[in-house]
Amino acid sequence: MRLVRKLLLVLVTLMVAVLILDAWVGIRRETRLLETDMNADERDTGQALAAAIGALWRTDGRERALQLVGEAQTQPVRVAVRWVDPHAGAERPDAPSVAAVRDRVARGEVFSVIPNPEGEVRRRIYTYVPVMVEGVQQGALELSESLSEEQAHLRHLVLQRAVTAGGLAVLFTAAAWILGAWFVGRPMHALVDKARRVGAGDLGGPLVLNQQDEIGDLAAEINAMCEQLDAARKQLASETQARIHALEQLRHADRLATVGQLAAGVAHELGTPLNVVTQRAKMIATGEVQGAEAADGARIVFEQSQRITGVIRQLLDFARRRSPTKAPQDVRSIAEQTTAFLAPLARKSSVEVQMKLPEAPVVCDVDSGQIQQVLLNLMMNGIHAMKRGGTLHVEVDTARVVPPADVGGIANDYIRVRVRDTGAGIAPENQARIFEPFFTTKDVGEGTGLGLAVSWGIVREHEGWLEVESQVGQGSTFAVFLPAQARATEVAV
C-alpha cells in the first residue's frame, strides 16, 4: 500500500493546490468586483449631489449649499458625505480625510481611494468629486463608506471555499484510497508475493489478475517468464546431469587407461608370489614335504594368495565406477596409498619414490577415490618423464596462499601436495596446453591425454586448483591445492 499512499499524497496535494489557487483567484475577483461597484455607486452619488449643490450655490449662495451638505452629513445613511477644501490645512475640519490626495482633489479629479497604511486594517473607501460653479472649483465632496460588510462577505467566502476544499479533499482521499487499494494495492501485493516465490525457486502457480490494464499485462508477462524459466531449468538440469555423466565416463576411462599402464608392473608384482604358490602347492601335492613342513608350505601358500588377492582388489577398487562422496580425509594416507599402488611401476622404471609427510594429520573434505586418481595421474606422469630413471618426490604440507584470479577468494590455509620429478621437463610452448583434453607429449601408447584434464576438473570441483612449474632438462613440479579443514578429529575411516 506504500505506492497507493504515495500516489494519494501527490494527487491530494495537487488537488488542494488547485483548489487554493482557484479560491485565491475567485476571492481576488470578488474583491475587485465589490470595490468596483462601491466606487461606481459613490461616484454616481457624488456627481449627482455635486451637480445639485452647484445649482443651489448659483441660486441661493454658498451658505445654503454648504448647509445642504451639512444636513446630508447628519442623515444616518450608508455613504457619509462631507464638504472638503483642498487648500485647507490638515488641522482644519474641512481638510480631506486622506491627506495624501489633497493635490488630486485640488486639480478637480474624480477618484476613489482606499487608504491602507502599513499595520492598519482597511476600514473605509473614500471618493472625491469636485463641486464646480460656473466653471470654477469651489471645493469637493468627500464620500466615504465602511468596508466592514465587504470584509465580512470576503471572510464568509473564504470560509465557504475552505469548507468546500476540505470536503472535496476528504471525499477524494477516501475514493482514491479505496480505488487505489483495489486496483493497485491488491494486485501489487499479489505481484510481490509471486516475485518472492519466484526468488525462492517456486515457479509454479500462475498469477491470476482479472485486470485489463498494465498491471494485468505485467502479471501475464510474469507468468510467461516463469513458464520459460521452468522450461529452461528443466533443460539445464537435464544438460547438467548429462554433463556430469559425461565427466564420470571420462574419468572412468582415464582410470581404465591408468590400470592398463599399471598392468606390466602389477604382472611383475604378481609373478613372484604366483611362483611361490605354484612351487609350494606342487611340493605338497606330490608329497615331497610332509608333516610340519607341509603345514608351513600351506601357510606360505595362504599368505601369498592373500598378497595376490590384495593387489587384484586394489586394482578392481580403483577401476570400479562409483559416485563421488566427499568426507573428511587425511591427505597423508591418500598419498601413501597412491605411492604404494605405484611402487611396482616405479621399480620397473628405475624410479625411486621419496615422500615427505607432516607428523600431524592434514584433513580435507574430499572424495578419496577422486583425489587418489589425481595423485596417481601426476605420479605416473612424473615416472614416464624419467626415461632413464630418477627420483620422484612427493611432499604434503599446509600453506597460507592467495588463490589465483580464476578461483577467487582471500588468503587462506590450503593443503598442498607437490609431485616433483627429475625428468625432461615441459617445453614452454606446451605448458599452456597441458590441461587440454587429449593433448599429450608422451610417446604413443604411454598416455591418452586425459589425465591432467581430468585431474584439473576434479581439483576444481573440490574448490582447489593445480599449479605447474617446469624447466626443460630439469624436471617438473605439479602442486595440488585443496581447502584445509580445521577439525582434524573428523577423519573418515
Side-chain angles (χ1 to χ4, degrees):
M1 297 296 286
R2 285 175 292 181
L3 179 60
V4 175
R5 286 197 296 267
K6 291 178 181 179
L7 291 175
L8 187 60
L9 178 61
V10 172
L11 293 176
V12 171
T13 301
L14 289 175
M15 184 195 70
V16 171
V18 170
L19 290 175
I20 291 175
L21 179 62
D22 178 68
W24 181 77
V25 172
I27 292 172
R28 286 286 301 262
R29 183 174 63 251
E30 190 72 17
T31 302
R32 286 195 299 268
L33 289 175
L34 288 173
E35 291 177 356
T36 301
D37 290 342
M38 294 175 70
N39 290 340
D41 292 343
E42 290 188 2
R43 288 189 184 192
D44 293 342
T45 302
Q47 287 175 347
L49 189 56
I53 292 173
L56 185 61
W57 190 302
R58 286 191 297 273
T59 58
D60 294 347
R62 181 177 182 276
E63 294 298 329
R64 180 72 183 98
L66 294 180
Q67 183 182 3
L68 179 62
V69 176
E71 292 175 356
Q73 280 183 293
T74 60
Q75 299 296 323
V77 292
R78 220 175 106 188
V79 179
V81 181
R82 187 171 159 274
W83 176 266
V84 296
D85 184 354
H87 303 291
E91 69 281 355
R92 286 175 52 180
D94 58 348
S97 300
V98 185
V101 300
R102 183 179 292 115
D103 292 339
R104 295 182 65 185
V105 176
R107 289 195 299 268
E109 295 182 15
V110 179
F111 64 92
S112 298
V113 63
I114 301 175
N116 187 26
E118 186 176 356
E120 294 185 10
V121 181
R122 297 192 308 174
R123 295 184 180 278
R124 302 186 72 82
I125 181 171
Y126 294 89
T127 301
Y128 293 91
V129 180
V131 177
M132 309 297 292
V133 178
E134 294 179 355
V136 180
Q137 181 179 359
Q138 302 298 325
L141 294 176
E142 180 187 83
L143 294 86
S144 64
E145 183 178 353
S146 175
L147 296 175
S148 59
E149 293 184 5
E150 178 200 26
Q151 292 174 348
H153 176 71
L154 292 177
R155 285 195 297 270
H156 176 73
L157 184 61
V158 170
L159 179 60
Q160 181 183 7
R161 290 298 183 96
V163 172
T164 301
L168 288 176
V170 170
L171 291 176
F172 182 82
T173 301
W177 180 266
I178 294 173
L179 294 176
W182 181 258
F183 291 108
V184 178
R186 181 182 58 86
M188 291 305 296
H189 276 305
L191 288 172
V192 170
D193 180 66
K194 178 66 174 179
R196 287 174 179 167
R197 287 192 286 113
V198 171
D202 181 12
L203 300 177
L207 181 61
V208 180
L209 291 179
N210 297 320
Q211 293 186 212
Q212 302 299 322
D213 52 19
E214 288 78 5
I215 297 180
D217 295 340
L218 177 60
E221 291 299 324
I222 289 178
N223 290 333
M225 178 193 69
C226 289
E227 292 177 359
Q228 295 174 2
L229 287 176
D230 188 50
R233 183 170 64 179
K234 292 178 180 178
Q235 182 179 0
L236 179 61
S238 176
E239 292 177 354
T240 301
Q241 189 63 33
R243 179 176 177 274
I244 293 174
H245 182 69
L247 285 175
E248 288 302 317
Q249 291 279 6
L250 187 64
R251 291 169 184 172
H252 185 61
D254 177 64
R255 283 196 295 270
L256 293 179
T258 302
V259 170
Q261 295 178 35
L262 291 171
V266 171
H268 177 74
E269 187 74 6
L270 295 178
T272 300
L274 281 175
N275 287 333
V276 173
V277 169
T278 301
Q279 293 298 326
R280 290 288 179 174
K282 183 178 179 181
M283 292 171 64
I284 294 173
T286 58
E288 185 177 343
V289 293
Q290 295 180 356
E293 291 184 2
D296 186 58
R299 179 184 57 79
I300 294 174
V301 169
F302 175 76
E303 291 176 351
Q304 295 301 316
S305 298
Q306 290 294 104
R307 179 182 176 185
I308 295 171
T309 301
V311 172
I312 294 175
R313 182 181 295 112
Q314 192 175 18
L315 277 174
L316 291 176
D317 288 343
F318 181 73
R320 184 180 296 116
R321 185 196 309 274
R322 58 175 179 164
S323 300
T325 302
K326 291 183 180 181
Q329 302 285 347
D330 187 355
V331 179
R332 298 177 311 167
S333 300
I334 299 177
E336 290 176 336
Q337 293 172 6
T338 307
T339 302
F341 197 22
L342 278 174
L345 182 62
R347 287 194 297 269
K348 181 181 178 182
S349 301
S350 301
V351 173
E352 179 186 0
V353 180
Q354 295 184 357
M355 299 190 69
K356 183 179 179 181
L357 304 177
E359 295 181 0
V362 282
V363 180
C364 185
D365 195 24
V366 298
D367 181 288
S368 59
Q370 291 186 348
I371 298 302
Q372 185 182 42
Q373 184 176 359
V374 172
L375 299 183
L376 194 62
N377 286 334
L378 298 181
M379 293 179 189
M380 286 187 63
N381 286 345
I383 293 172
H384 290 158
M386 295 180 284
K387 301 291 186 181
R388 300 179 181 178
T391 304
L392 183 69
H393 299 271
V394 180
E395 180 179 350
V396 179
D397 62 1
T398 302
R400 190 170 186 83
V401 295
V402 178
D406 59 333
V407 176
I410 61 175
N412 211 334
D413 291 333
Y414 285 85
I415 294 174
R416 179 175 57 189
V417 183
R418 286 183 289 189
V419 178
R420 179 167 57 89
D421 64 67
T422 57
I426 304 172
E429 62 272 14
N430 292 331
Q431 290 186 22
R433 300 186 60 195
I434 58 175
F435 294 113
E436 294 180 6
F438 304 108
F439 177 81
T440 182
T441 58
K442 299 179 183 179
D443 295 335
V444 177
E446 289 189 355
T448 62
L450 292 176
L452 288 179
V454 169
S455 299
W456 183 89
I458 292 174
V459 174
R460 288 304 295 268
E461 285 185 358
H462 284 75
E463 301 179 6
W465 69 93
L466 276 171
E467 290 183 358
V468 59
E469 296 178 2
S470 182
Q471 291 185 0
V472 176
Q474 297 185 19
S476 304
T477 300
F478 285 84
V480 180
F481 290 86
L482 298 170
Q485 182 165 321
R487 292 178 295 179
T489 57
E490 299 182 2
V491 180
V493 178

